[in-house]
mmCIF file with all atom_site columns, all heavy atoms in Angstrom:
data_model
loop_
_atom_site.group_PDB
_atom_site.id
_atom_site.type_symbol
_atom_site.label_atom_id
_atom_site.label_alt_id
_atom_site.label_comp_id
_atom_site.label_asym_id
_atom_site.label_entity_id
_atom_site.label_seq_id
_atom_site.pdbx_PDB_ins_code
_atom_site.Cartn_x
_atom_site.Cartn_y
_atom_site.Cartn_z
_atom_site.occupancy
_atom_site.B_iso_or_equiv
_atom_site.pdbx_formal_charge
_atom_site.auth_seq_id
_atom_site.auth_comp_id
_atom_site.auth_asym_id
_atom_site.auth_atom_id
_atom_site.pdbx_PDB_model_num
ATOM 1   N N   . VAL G 1 1  ? 115.206 99.909  79.292  1.00 72.00 ? 9  VAL G N   1
ATOM 2   C CA  . VAL G 1 1  ? 114.294 100.949 78.836  1.00 72.00 ? 9  VAL G CA  1
ATOM 3   C C   . VAL G 1 1  ? 114.537 102.293 79.522  1.00 72.00 ? 9  VAL G C   1
ATOM 4   O O   . VAL G 1 1  ? 113.865 103.267 79.215  1.00 72.00 ? 9  VAL G O   1
ATOM 5   C CB  . VAL G 1 1  ? 112.814 100.535 79.012  1.00 72.00 ? 9  VAL G CB  1
ATOM 6   C CG1 . VAL G 1 1  ? 112.485 99.339  78.143  1.00 72.00 ? 9  VAL G CG1 1
ATOM 7   C CG2 . VAL G 1 1  ? 112.504 100.263 80.459  1.00 72.00 ? 9  VAL G CG2 1
ATOM 8   N N   . MET G 1 2  ? 115.489 102.346 80.463  1.00 66.00 ? 10 MET G N   1
ATOM 9   C CA  . MET G 1 2  ? 115.776 103.600 81.162  1.00 66.00 ? 10 MET G CA  1
ATOM 10  C C   . MET G 1 2  ? 116.152 104.678 80.141  1.00 66.00 ? 10 MET G C   1
ATOM 11  O O   . MET G 1 2  ? 116.962 104.439 79.249  1.00 66.00 ? 10 MET G O   1
ATOM 12  C CB  . MET G 1 2  ? 116.922 103.400 82.147  1.00 66.00 ? 10 MET G CB  1
ATOM 13  C CG  . MET G 1 2  ? 117.218 104.613 82.964  1.00 66.00 ? 10 MET G CG  1
ATOM 14  S SD  . MET G 1 2  ? 115.933 104.914 84.161  1.00 66.00 ? 10 MET G SD  1
ATOM 15  C CE  . MET G 1 2  ? 116.728 104.396 85.630  1.00 66.00 ? 10 MET G CE  1
ATOM 16  N N   . GLY G 1 3  ? 115.534 105.819 80.245  1.00 62.00 ? 11 GLY G N   1
ATOM 17  C CA  . GLY G 1 3  ? 115.831 106.924 79.341  1.00 62.00 ? 11 GLY G CA  1
ATOM 18  C C   . GLY G 1 3  ? 115.036 106.891 78.057  1.00 62.00 ? 11 GLY G C   1
ATOM 19  O O   . GLY G 1 3  ? 115.217 107.739 77.190  1.00 62.00 ? 11 GLY G O   1
ATOM 20  N N   . THR G 1 4  ? 114.163 105.917 77.895  1.00 68.00 ? 12 THR G N   1
ATOM 21  C CA  . THR G 1 4  ? 113.329 105.854 76.701  1.00 68.00 ? 12 THR G CA  1
ATOM 22  C C   . THR G 1 4  ? 111.892 106.204 77.075  1.00 68.00 ? 12 THR G C   1
ATOM 23  O O   . THR G 1 4  ? 111.549 106.284 78.251  1.00 68.00 ? 12 THR G O   1
ATOM 24  C CB  . THR G 1 4  ? 113.352 104.442 76.063  1.00 68.00 ? 12 THR G CB  1
ATOM 25  O OG1 . THR G 1 4  ? 112.684 103.543 76.941  1.00 68.00 ? 12 THR G OG1 1
ATOM 26  C CG2 . THR G 1 4  ? 114.773 103.968 75.806  1.00 68.00 ? 12 THR G CG2 1
ATOM 27  N N   . ALA G 1 5  ? 111.079 106.361 76.068  1.00 71.00 ? 13 ALA G N   1
ATOM 28  C CA  . ALA G 1 5  ? 109.671 106.699 76.311  1.00 71.00 ? 13 ALA G CA  1
ATOM 29  C C   . ALA G 1 5  ? 108.926 105.555 76.998  1.00 71.00 ? 13 ALA G C   1
ATOM 30  O O   . ALA G 1 5  ? 107.907 105.774 77.644  1.00 71.00 ? 13 ALA G O   1
ATOM 31  C CB  . ALA G 1 5  ? 108.988 107.044 74.998  1.00 71.00 ? 13 ALA G CB  1
ATOM 32  N N   . ARG G 1 6  ? 109.440 104.326 76.883  1.00 73.00 ? 14 ARG G N   1
ATOM 33  C CA  . ARG G 1 6  ? 108.780 103.175 77.508  1.00 73.00 ? 14 ARG G CA  1
ATOM 34  C C   . ARG G 1 6  ? 109.028 103.095 79.012  1.00 73.00 ? 14 ARG G C   1
ATOM 35  O O   . ARG G 1 6  ? 108.373 102.341 79.705  1.00 73.00 ? 14 ARG G O   1
ATOM 36  C CB  . ARG G 1 6  ? 109.271 101.873 76.868  1.00 73.00 ? 14 ARG G CB  1
ATOM 37  C CG  . ARG G 1 6  ? 108.858 101.730 75.415  1.00 73.00 ? 14 ARG G CG  1
ATOM 38  C CD  . ARG G 1 6  ? 109.295 100.412 74.856  1.00 73.00 ? 14 ARG G CD  1
ATOM 39  N NE  . ARG G 1 6  ? 110.738 100.246 75.013  1.00 73.00 ? 14 ARG G NE  1
ATOM 40  C CZ  . ARG G 1 6  ? 111.385 99.102  74.913  1.00 73.00 ? 14 ARG G CZ  1
ATOM 41  N NH1 . ARG G 1 6  ? 110.730 97.998  74.656  1.00 73.00 ? 14 ARG G NH1 1
ATOM 42  N NH2 . ARG G 1 6  ? 112.682 99.037  75.066  1.00 73.00 ? 14 ARG G NH2 1
ATOM 43  N N   . TYR G 1 7  ? 109.976 103.857 79.513  1.00 73.00 ? 15 TYR G N   1
ATOM 44  C CA  . TYR G 1 7  ? 110.320 103.775 80.933  1.00 73.00 ? 15 TYR G CA  1
ATOM 45  C C   . TYR G 1 7  ? 109.252 104.463 81.779  1.00 73.00 ? 15 TYR G C   1
ATOM 46  O O   . TYR G 1 7  ? 108.846 105.583 81.499  1.00 73.00 ? 15 TYR G O   1
ATOM 47  C CB  . TYR G 1 7  ? 111.671 104.421 81.207  1.00 73.00 ? 15 TYR G CB  1
ATOM 48  C CG  . TYR G 1 7  ? 112.048 104.406 82.667  1.00 73.00 ? 15 TYR G CG  1
ATOM 49  C CD1 . TYR G 1 7  ? 112.461 103.238 83.280  1.00 73.00 ? 15 TYR G CD1 1
ATOM 50  C CD2 . TYR G 1 7  ? 111.964 105.552 83.448  1.00 73.00 ? 15 TYR G CD2 1
ATOM 51  C CE1 . TYR G 1 7  ? 112.794 103.202 84.621  1.00 73.00 ? 15 TYR G CE1 1
ATOM 52  C CE2 . TYR G 1 7  ? 112.298 105.535 84.790  1.00 73.00 ? 15 TYR G CE2 1
ATOM 53  C CZ  . TYR G 1 7  ? 112.711 104.358 85.369  1.00 73.00 ? 15 TYR G CZ  1
ATOM 54  O OH  . TYR G 1 7  ? 113.034 104.326 86.696  1.00 73.00 ? 15 TYR G OH  1
ATOM 55  N N   . THR G 1 8  ? 108.798 103.776 82.809  1.00 77.00 ? 16 THR G N   1
ATOM 56  C CA  . THR G 1 8  ? 107.891 104.380 83.790  1.00 77.00 ? 16 THR G CA  1
ATOM 57  C C   . THR G 1 8  ? 108.519 104.194 85.166  1.00 77.00 ? 16 THR G C   1
ATOM 58  O O   . THR G 1 8  ? 108.969 103.099 85.507  1.00 77.00 ? 16 THR G O   1
ATOM 59  C CB  . THR G 1 8  ? 106.499 103.734 83.761  1.00 77.00 ? 16 THR G CB  1
ATOM 60  O OG1 . THR G 1 8  ? 106.634 102.334 83.977  1.00 77.00 ? 16 THR G OG1 1
ATOM 61  C CG2 . THR G 1 8  ? 105.799 103.986 82.438  1.00 77.00 ? 16 THR G CG2 1
ATOM 62  N N   . ALA G 1 9  ? 108.557 105.247 85.916  1.00 76.00 ? 17 ALA G N   1
ATOM 63  C CA  . ALA G 1 9  ? 109.164 105.207 87.245  1.00 76.00 ? 17 ALA G CA  1
ATOM 64  C C   . ALA G 1 9  ? 108.331 104.333 88.176  1.00 76.00 ? 17 ALA G C   1
ATOM 65  O O   . ALA G 1 9  ? 107.104 104.275 88.045  1.00 76.00 ? 17 ALA G O   1
ATOM 66  C CB  . ALA G 1 9  ? 109.274 106.615 87.823  1.00 76.00 ? 17 ALA G CB  1
ATOM 67  N N   . PRO G 1 10 ? 108.992 103.658 89.106  1.00 79.00 ? 18 PRO G N   1
ATOM 68  C CA  . PRO G 1 10 ? 108.239 102.882 90.087  1.00 79.00 ? 18 PRO G CA  1
ATOM 69  C C   . PRO G 1 10 ? 107.293 103.796 90.869  1.00 79.00 ? 18 PRO G C   1
ATOM 70  O O   . PRO G 1 10 ? 107.647 104.935 91.172  1.00 79.00 ? 18 PRO G O   1
ATOM 71  C CB  . PRO G 1 10 ? 109.313 102.322 91.002  1.00 79.00 ? 18 PRO G CB  1
ATOM 72  C CG  . PRO G 1 10 ? 110.605 102.504 90.301  1.00 79.00 ? 18 PRO G CG  1
ATOM 73  C CD  . PRO G 1 10 ? 110.422 103.600 89.317  1.00 79.00 ? 18 PRO G CD  1
ATOM 74  N N   . ASP G 1 11 ? 106.118 103.280 91.161  1.00 81.00 ? 19 ASP G N   1
ATOM 75  C CA  . ASP G 1 11 ? 105.134 104.080 91.881  1.00 81.00 ? 19 ASP G CA  1
ATOM 76  C C   . ASP G 1 11 ? 104.379 103.177 92.851  1.00 81.00 ? 19 ASP G C   1
ATOM 77  O O   . ASP G 1 11 ? 103.877 102.133 92.468  1.00 81.00 ? 19 ASP G O   1
ATOM 78  C CB  . ASP G 1 11 ? 104.157 104.721 90.893  1.00 81.00 ? 19 ASP G CB  1
ATOM 79  C CG  . ASP G 1 11 ? 103.236 105.707 91.555  1.00 81.00 ? 19 ASP G CG  1
ATOM 80  O OD1 . ASP G 1 11 ? 103.638 106.308 92.575  1.00 81.00 ? 19 ASP G OD1 1
ATOM 81  O OD2 . ASP G 1 11 ? 102.111 105.884 91.073  1.00 81.00 ? 19 ASP G OD2 1
ATOM 82  N N   . SER G 1 12 ? 104.353 103.597 94.094  1.00 86.00 ? 20 SER G N   1
ATOM 83  C CA  . SER G 1 12 ? 103.604 102.851 95.106  1.00 86.00 ? 20 SER G CA  1
ATOM 84  C C   . SER G 1 12 ? 103.216 103.835 96.200  1.00 86.00 ? 20 SER G C   1
ATOM 85  O O   . SER G 1 12 ? 103.804 104.915 96.304  1.00 86.00 ? 20 SER G O   1
ATOM 86  C CB  . SER G 1 12 ? 104.455 101.726 95.691  1.00 86.00 ? 20 SER G CB  1
ATOM 87  O OG  . SER G 1 12 ? 105.505 102.263 96.466  1.00 86.00 ? 20 SER G OG  1
ATOM 88  N N   . PRO G 1 13 ? 102.257 103.486 97.035  1.00 88.00 ? 21 PRO G N   1
ATOM 89  C CA  . PRO G 1 13 ? 101.896 104.380 98.134  1.00 88.00 ? 21 PRO G CA  1
ATOM 90  C C   . PRO G 1 13 ? 103.087 104.667 99.055  1.00 88.00 ? 21 PRO G C   1
ATOM 91  O O   . PRO G 1 13 ? 103.277 105.800 99.495  1.00 88.00 ? 21 PRO G O   1
ATOM 92  C CB  . PRO G 1 13 ? 100.794 103.618 98.874  1.00 88.00 ? 21 PRO G CB  1
ATOM 93  C CG  . PRO G 1 13 ? 100.202 102.717 97.850  1.00 88.00 ? 21 PRO G CG  1
ATOM 94  C CD  . PRO G 1 13 ? 101.334 102.341 96.948  1.00 88.00 ? 21 PRO G CD  1
ATOM 95  N N   . GLY G 1 14 ? 103.899 103.636 99.319  1.00 86.00 ? 22 GLY G N   1
ATOM 96  C CA  . GLY G 1 14 ? 105.066 103.836 100.179 1.00 86.00 ? 22 GLY G CA  1
ATOM 97  C C   . GLY G 1 14 ? 106.070 104.790 99.572  1.00 86.00 ? 22 GLY G C   1
ATOM 98  O O   . GLY G 1 14 ? 106.641 105.641 100.261 1.00 86.00 ? 22 GLY G O   1
ATOM 99  N N   . LEU G 1 15 ? 106.287 104.665 98.272  1.00 85.00 ? 23 LEU G N   1
ATOM 100 C CA  . LEU G 1 15 ? 107.226 105.550 97.578  1.00 85.00 ? 23 LEU G CA  1
ATOM 101 C C   . LEU G 1 15 ? 106.704 106.985 97.566  1.00 85.00 ? 23 LEU G C   1
ATOM 102 O O   . LEU G 1 15 ? 107.462 107.931 97.811  1.00 85.00 ? 23 LEU G O   1
ATOM 103 C CB  . LEU G 1 15 ? 107.444 105.047 96.156  1.00 85.00 ? 23 LEU G CB  1
ATOM 104 C CG  . LEU G 1 15 ? 108.526 105.724 95.350  1.00 85.00 ? 23 LEU G CG  1
ATOM 105 C CD1 . LEU G 1 15 ? 109.876 105.525 96.017  1.00 85.00 ? 23 LEU G CD1 1
ATOM 106 C CD2 . LEU G 1 15 ? 108.550 105.148 93.951  1.00 85.00 ? 23 LEU G CD2 1
ATOM 107 N N   . ARG G 1 16 ? 105.415 107.152 97.311  1.00 86.00 ? 24 ARG G N   1
ATOM 108 C CA  . ARG G 1 16 ? 104.842 108.512 97.328  1.00 86.00 ? 24 ARG G CA  1
ATOM 109 C C   . ARG G 1 16 ? 104.924 109.112 98.726  1.00 86.00 ? 24 ARG G C   1
ATOM 110 O O   . ARG G 1 16 ? 105.224 110.297 98.878  1.00 86.00 ? 24 ARG G O   1
ATOM 111 C CB  . ARG G 1 16 ? 103.397 108.476 96.831  1.00 86.00 ? 24 ARG G CB  1
ATOM 112 C CG  . ARG G 1 16 ? 103.294 108.279 95.332  1.00 86.00 ? 24 ARG G CG  1
ATOM 113 C CD  . ARG G 1 16 ? 101.880 108.542 94.827  1.00 86.00 ? 24 ARG G CD  1
ATOM 114 N NE  . ARG G 1 16 ? 100.886 107.660 95.421  1.00 86.00 ? 24 ARG G NE  1
ATOM 115 C CZ  . ARG G 1 16 ? 100.552 106.461 94.965  1.00 86.00 ? 24 ARG G CZ  1
ATOM 116 N NH1 . ARG G 1 16 ? 101.142 105.988 93.894  1.00 86.00 ? 24 ARG G NH1 1
ATOM 117 N NH2 . ARG G 1 16 ? 99.637  105.742 95.561  1.00 86.00 ? 24 ARG G NH2 1
ATOM 118 N N   . TRP G 1 17 ? 104.679 108.307 99.760  1.00 85.00 ? 25 TRP G N   1
ATOM 119 C CA  . TRP G 1 17 ? 104.768 108.796 101.148 1.00 85.00 ? 25 TRP G CA  1
ATOM 120 C C   . TRP G 1 17 ? 106.197 109.228 101.457 1.00 85.00 ? 25 TRP G C   1
ATOM 121 O O   . TRP G 1 17 ? 106.422 110.292 102.015 1.00 85.00 ? 25 TRP G O   1
ATOM 122 C CB  . TRP G 1 17 ? 104.317 107.700 102.106 1.00 85.00 ? 25 TRP G CB  1
ATOM 123 C CG  . TRP G 1 17 ? 104.508 108.046 103.541 1.00 85.00 ? 25 TRP G CG  1
ATOM 124 C CD1 . TRP G 1 17 ? 103.706 108.844 104.313 1.00 85.00 ? 25 TRP G CD1 1
ATOM 125 C CD2 . TRP G 1 17 ? 105.584 107.640 104.385 1.00 85.00 ? 25 TRP G CD2 1
ATOM 126 N NE1 . TRP G 1 17 ? 104.219 108.939 105.587 1.00 85.00 ? 25 TRP G NE1 1
ATOM 127 C CE2 . TRP G 1 17 ? 105.370 108.215 105.656 1.00 85.00 ? 25 TRP G CE2 1
ATOM 128 C CE3 . TRP G 1 17 ? 106.704 106.846 104.188 1.00 85.00 ? 25 TRP G CE3 1
ATOM 129 C CZ2 . TRP G 1 17 ? 106.248 108.010 106.715 1.00 85.00 ? 25 TRP G CZ2 1
ATOM 130 C CZ3 . TRP G 1 17 ? 107.574 106.641 105.242 1.00 85.00 ? 25 TRP G CZ3 1
ATOM 131 C CH2 . TRP G 1 17 ? 107.335 107.232 106.488 1.00 85.00 ? 25 TRP G CH2 1
ATOM 132 N N   . ARG G 1 18 ? 107.162 108.378 101.077 1.00 85.00 ? 26 ARG G N   1
ATOM 133 C CA  . ARG G 1 18 ? 108.555 108.702 101.366 1.00 85.00 ? 26 ARG G CA  1
ATOM 134 C C   . ARG G 1 18 ? 109.004 109.956 100.604 1.00 85.00 ? 26 ARG G C   1
ATOM 135 O O   . ARG G 1 18 ? 109.695 110.805 101.140 1.00 85.00 ? 26 ARG G O   1
ATOM 136 C CB  . ARG G 1 18 ? 109.446 107.504 101.006 1.00 85.00 ? 26 ARG G CB  1
ATOM 137 C CG  . ARG G 1 18 ? 110.838 107.642 101.545 1.00 85.00 ? 26 ARG G CG  1
ATOM 138 C CD  . ARG G 1 18 ? 111.651 106.370 101.403 1.00 85.00 ? 26 ARG G CD  1
ATOM 139 N NE  . ARG G 1 18 ? 111.846 105.968 100.026 1.00 85.00 ? 26 ARG G NE  1
ATOM 140 C CZ  . ARG G 1 18 ? 111.336 104.862 99.479  1.00 85.00 ? 26 ARG G CZ  1
ATOM 141 N NH1 . ARG G 1 18 ? 110.596 104.042 100.191 1.00 85.00 ? 26 ARG G NH1 1
ATOM 142 N NH2 . ARG G 1 18 ? 111.563 104.565 98.219  1.00 85.00 ? 26 ARG G NH2 1
ATOM 143 N N   . ASN G 1 19 ? 108.591 110.084 99.358  1.00 86.00 ? 27 ASN G N   1
ATOM 144 C CA  . ASN G 1 19 ? 108.940 111.277 98.599  1.00 86.00 ? 27 ASN G CA  1
ATOM 145 C C   . ASN G 1 19 ? 108.281 112.528 99.178  1.00 86.00 ? 27 ASN G C   1
ATOM 146 O O   . ASN G 1 19 ? 108.864 113.608 99.161  1.00 86.00 ? 27 ASN G O   1
ATOM 147 C CB  . ASN G 1 19 ? 108.543 111.113 97.130  1.00 86.00 ? 27 ASN G CB  1
ATOM 148 C CG  . ASN G 1 19 ? 109.450 110.155 96.400  1.00 86.00 ? 27 ASN G CG  1
ATOM 149 O OD1 . ASN G 1 19 ? 110.562 109.874 96.845  1.00 86.00 ? 27 ASN G OD1 1
ATOM 150 N ND2 . ASN G 1 19 ? 108.979 109.633 95.289  1.00 86.00 ? 27 ASN G ND2 1
ATOM 151 N N   . GLY G 1 20 ? 107.066 112.382 99.699  1.00 87.00 ? 28 GLY G N   1
ATOM 152 C CA  . GLY G 1 20 ? 106.395 113.511 100.339 1.00 87.00 ? 28 GLY G CA  1
ATOM 153 C C   . GLY G 1 20 ? 107.087 113.942 101.616 1.00 87.00 ? 28 GLY G C   1
ATOM 154 O O   . GLY G 1 20 ? 106.999 115.100 102.029 1.00 87.00 ? 28 GLY G O   1
ATOM 155 N N   . LEU G 1 21 ? 107.781 113.014 102.235 1.00 89.00 ? 29 LEU G N   1
ATOM 156 C CA  . LEU G 1 21 ? 108.500 113.309 103.472 1.00 89.00 ? 29 LEU G CA  1
ATOM 157 C C   . LEU G 1 21 ? 109.800 114.085 103.231 1.00 89.00 ? 29 LEU G C   1
ATOM 158 O O   . LEU G 1 21 ? 110.346 114.682 104.156 1.00 89.00 ? 29 LEU G O   1
ATOM 159 C CB  . LEU G 1 21 ? 108.829 111.986 104.166 1.00 89.00 ? 29 LEU G CB  1
ATOM 160 C CG  . LEU G 1 21 ? 108.847 111.922 105.667 1.00 89.00 ? 29 LEU G CG  1
ATOM 161 C CD1 . LEU G 1 21 ? 107.517 112.395 106.233 1.00 89.00 ? 29 LEU G CD1 1
ATOM 162 C CD2 . LEU G 1 21 ? 109.121 110.502 106.115 1.00 89.00 ? 29 LEU G CD2 1
ATOM 163 N N   . ASN G 1 22 ? 110.268 114.089 101.993 1.00 91.00 ? 30 ASN G N   1
ATOM 164 C CA  . ASN G 1 22 ? 111.554 114.734 101.705 1.00 91.00 ? 30 ASN G CA  1
ATOM 165 C C   . ASN G 1 22 ? 111.586 116.207 102.097 1.00 91.00 ? 30 ASN G C   1
ATOM 166 O O   . ASN G 1 22 ? 112.572 116.683 102.658 1.00 91.00 ? 30 ASN G O   1
ATOM 167 C CB  . ASN G 1 22 ? 111.920 114.566 100.233 1.00 91.00 ? 30 ASN G CB  1
ATOM 168 C CG  . ASN G 1 22 ? 112.332 113.155 99.900  1.00 91.00 ? 30 ASN G CG  1
ATOM 169 O OD1 . ASN G 1 22 ? 112.680 112.372 100.774 1.00 91.00 ? 30 ASN G OD1 1
ATOM 170 N ND2 . ASN G 1 22 ? 112.276 112.817 98.630  1.00 91.00 ? 30 ASN G ND2 1
ATOM 171 N N   . GLY G 1 23 ? 110.531 116.939 101.814 1.00 91.00 ? 31 GLY G N   1
ATOM 172 C CA  . GLY G 1 23 ? 110.485 118.350 102.170 1.00 91.00 ? 31 GLY G CA  1
ATOM 173 C C   . GLY G 1 23 ? 110.510 118.566 103.673 1.00 91.00 ? 31 GLY G C   1
ATOM 174 O O   . GLY G 1 23 ? 111.207 119.448 104.182 1.00 91.00 ? 31 GLY G O   1
ATOM 175 N N   . VAL G 1 24 ? 109.746 117.748 104.382 1.00 92.00 ? 32 VAL G N   1
ATOM 176 C CA  . VAL G 1 24 ? 109.716 117.840 105.849 1.00 92.00 ? 32 VAL G CA  1
ATOM 177 C C   . VAL G 1 24 ? 111.098 117.532 106.414 1.00 92.00 ? 32 VAL G C   1
ATOM 178 O O   . VAL G 1 24 ? 111.600 118.222 107.307 1.00 92.00 ? 32 VAL G O   1
ATOM 179 C CB  . VAL G 1 24 ? 108.662 116.867 106.431 1.00 92.00 ? 32 VAL G CB  1
ATOM 180 C CG1 . VAL G 1 24 ? 108.720 116.841 107.938 1.00 92.00 ? 32 VAL G CG1 1
ATOM 181 C CG2 . VAL G 1 24 ? 107.276 117.244 105.948 1.00 92.00 ? 32 VAL G CG2 1
ATOM 182 N N   . ARG G 1 25 ? 111.721 116.492 105.876 1.00 94.00 ? 33 ARG G N   1
ATOM 183 C CA  . ARG G 1 25 ? 113.054 116.122 106.358 1.00 94.00 ? 33 ARG G CA  1
ATOM 184 C C   . ARG G 1 25 ? 114.076 117.210 106.077 1.00 94.00 ? 33 ARG G C   1
ATOM 185 O O   . ARG G 1 25 ? 114.916 117.511 106.924 1.00 94.00 ? 33 ARG G O   1
ATOM 186 C CB  . ARG G 1 25 ? 113.499 114.814 105.703 1.00 94.00 ? 33 ARG G CB  1
ATOM 187 C CG  . ARG G 1 25 ? 112.788 113.622 106.264 1.00 94.00 ? 33 ARG G CG  1
ATOM 188 C CD  . ARG G 1 25 ? 113.298 112.349 105.663 1.00 94.00 ? 33 ARG G CD  1
ATOM 189 N NE  . ARG G 1 25 ? 112.904 111.231 106.502 1.00 94.00 ? 33 ARG G NE  1
ATOM 190 C CZ  . ARG G 1 25 ? 113.271 109.999 106.283 1.00 94.00 ? 33 ARG G CZ  1
ATOM 191 N NH1 . ARG G 1 25 ? 114.046 109.711 105.276 1.00 94.00 ? 33 ARG G NH1 1
ATOM 192 N NH2 . ARG G 1 25 ? 112.875 109.045 107.094 1.00 94.00 ? 33 ARG G NH2 1
ATOM 193 N N   . ALA G 1 26 ? 114.026 117.793 104.901 1.00 95.00 ? 34 ALA G N   1
ATOM 194 C CA  . ALA G 1 26 ? 114.980 118.851 104.551 1.00 95.00 ? 34 ALA G CA  1
ATOM 195 C C   . ALA G 1 26 ? 114.816 120.060 105.473 1.00 95.00 ? 34 ALA G C   1
ATOM 196 O O   . ALA G 1 26 ? 115.809 120.619 105.956 1.00 95.00 ? 34 ALA G O   1
ATOM 197 C CB  . ALA G 1 26 ? 114.795 119.264 103.093 1.00 95.00 ? 34 ALA G CB  1
ATOM 198 N N   . ARG G 1 27 ? 113.567 120.465 105.721 1.00 95.00 ? 35 ARG G N   1
ATOM 199 C CA  . ARG G 1 27 ? 113.335 121.601 106.619 1.00 95.00 ? 35 ARG G CA  1
ATOM 200 C C   . ARG G 1 27 ? 113.786 121.283 108.039 1.00 95.00 ? 35 ARG G C   1
ATOM 201 O O   . ARG G 1 27 ? 114.381 122.122 108.720 1.00 95.00 ? 35 ARG G O   1
ATOM 202 C CB  . ARG G 1 27 ? 111.851 121.994 106.610 1.00 95.00 ? 35 ARG G CB  1
ATOM 203 C CG  . ARG G 1 27 ? 111.460 122.800 105.387 1.00 95.00 ? 35 ARG G CG  1
ATOM 204 C CD  . ARG G 1 27 ? 110.031 123.325 105.486 1.00 95.00 ? 35 ARG G CD  1
ATOM 205 N NE  . ARG G 1 27 ? 109.026 122.266 105.533 1.00 95.00 ? 35 ARG G NE  1
ATOM 206 C CZ  . ARG G 1 27 ? 108.558 121.616 104.474 1.00 95.00 ? 35 ARG G CZ  1
ATOM 207 N NH1 . ARG G 1 27 ? 109.002 121.905 103.275 1.00 95.00 ? 35 ARG G NH1 1
ATOM 208 N NH2 . ARG G 1 27 ? 107.634 120.674 104.608 1.00 95.00 ? 35 ARG G NH2 1
ATOM 209 N N   . ALA G 1 28 ? 113.519 120.055 108.490 1.00 96.00 ? 36 ALA G N   1
ATOM 210 C CA  . ALA G 1 28 ? 113.918 119.667 109.845 1.00 96.00 ? 36 ALA G CA  1
ATOM 211 C C   . ALA G 1 28 ? 115.442 119.687 109.978 1.00 96.00 ? 36 ALA G C   1
ATOM 212 O O   . ALA G 1 28 ? 115.972 120.182 110.979 1.00 96.00 ? 36 ALA G O   1
ATOM 213 C CB  . ALA G 1 28 ? 113.371 118.280 110.185 1.00 96.00 ? 36 ALA G CB  1
ATOM 214 N N   . LEU G 1 29 ? 116.141 119.165 108.987 1.00 96.00 ? 37 LEU G N   1
ATOM 215 C CA  . LEU G 1 29 ? 117.611 119.187 109.037 1.00 96.00 ? 37 LEU G CA  1
ATOM 216 C C   . LEU G 1 29 ? 118.145 120.612 109.046 1.00 96.00 ? 37 LEU G C   1
ATOM 217 O O   . LEU G 1 29 ? 119.053 120.947 109.808 1.00 96.00 ? 37 LEU G O   1
ATOM 218 C CB  . LEU G 1 29 ? 118.195 118.427 107.843 1.00 96.00 ? 37 LEU G CB  1
ATOM 219 C CG  . LEU G 1 29 ? 118.294 116.929 107.979 1.00 96.00 ? 37 LEU G CG  1
ATOM 220 C CD1 . LEU G 1 29 ? 118.815 116.318 106.690 1.00 96.00 ? 37 LEU G CD1 1
ATOM 221 C CD2 . LEU G 1 29 ? 119.192 116.542 109.133 1.00 96.00 ? 37 LEU G CD2 1
ATOM 222 N N   . ARG G 1 30 ? 117.588 121.439 108.185 1.00 97.00 ? 38 ARG G N   1
ATOM 223 C CA  . ARG G 1 30 ? 118.037 122.837 108.114 1.00 97.00 ? 38 ARG G CA  1
ATOM 224 C C   . ARG G 1 30 ? 117.806 123.535 109.452 1.00 97.00 ? 38 ARG G C   1
ATOM 225 O O   . ARG G 1 30 ? 118.708 124.196 109.986 1.00 97.00 ? 38 ARG G O   1
ATOM 226 C CB  . ARG G 1 30 ? 117.295 123.563 106.987 1.00 97.00 ? 38 ARG G CB  1
ATOM 227 C CG  . ARG G 1 30 ? 117.774 125.001 106.793 1.00 97.00 ? 38 ARG G CG  1
ATOM 228 C CD  . ARG G 1 30 ? 116.948 125.740 105.757 1.00 97.00 ? 38 ARG G CD  1
ATOM 229 N NE  . ARG G 1 30 ? 115.550 125.793 106.176 1.00 97.00 ? 38 ARG G NE  1
ATOM 230 C CZ  . ARG G 1 30 ? 114.527 125.415 105.408 1.00 97.00 ? 38 ARG G CZ  1
ATOM 231 N NH1 . ARG G 1 30 ? 114.738 124.944 104.200 1.00 97.00 ? 38 ARG G NH1 1
ATOM 232 N NH2 . ARG G 1 30 ? 113.297 125.505 105.854 1.00 97.00 ? 38 ARG G NH2 1
ATOM 233 N N   . ASP G 1 31 ? 116.614 123.375 110.020 1.00 97.00 ? 39 ASP G N   1
ATOM 234 C CA  . ASP G 1 31 ? 116.307 124.015 111.301 1.00 97.00 ? 39 ASP G CA  1
ATOM 235 C C   . ASP G 1 31 ? 117.172 123.460 112.427 1.00 97.00 ? 39 ASP G C   1
ATOM 236 O O   . ASP G 1 31 ? 117.648 124.206 113.281 1.00 97.00 ? 39 ASP G O   1
ATOM 237 C CB  . ASP G 1 31 ? 114.829 123.832 111.647 1.00 97.00 ? 39 ASP G CB  1
ATOM 238 C CG  . ASP G 1 31 ? 113.911 124.598 110.705 1.00 97.00 ? 39 ASP G CG  1
ATOM 239 O OD1 . ASP G 1 31 ? 114.404 125.481 109.972 1.00 97.00 ? 39 ASP G OD1 1
ATOM 240 O OD2 . ASP G 1 31 ? 112.704 124.297 110.697 1.00 97.00 ? 39 ASP G OD2 1
#
């Protein structure tokens, strides 16, 4: 179903936390 309207991305509190950390990690690496 990837690429179709039926596809829904995985979602969990851990995944949302890790995705939220991406900006912090990118800024930390840059600095």
Side-chain angles (χ1 to χ4, degrees):
V9 296
M10 184 71 105
T12 68
R14 294 183 304 164
Y15 178 74
T16 56
D19 188 29
S20 69
L23 188 62
R24 286 192 300 273
W25 174 80
R26 192 170 62 246
N27 287 341
L29 214 56
N30 288 341
V32 174
R33 286 183 162 184
R35 282 187 297 279
L37 277 177
R38 184 185 60 232
D39 292 345

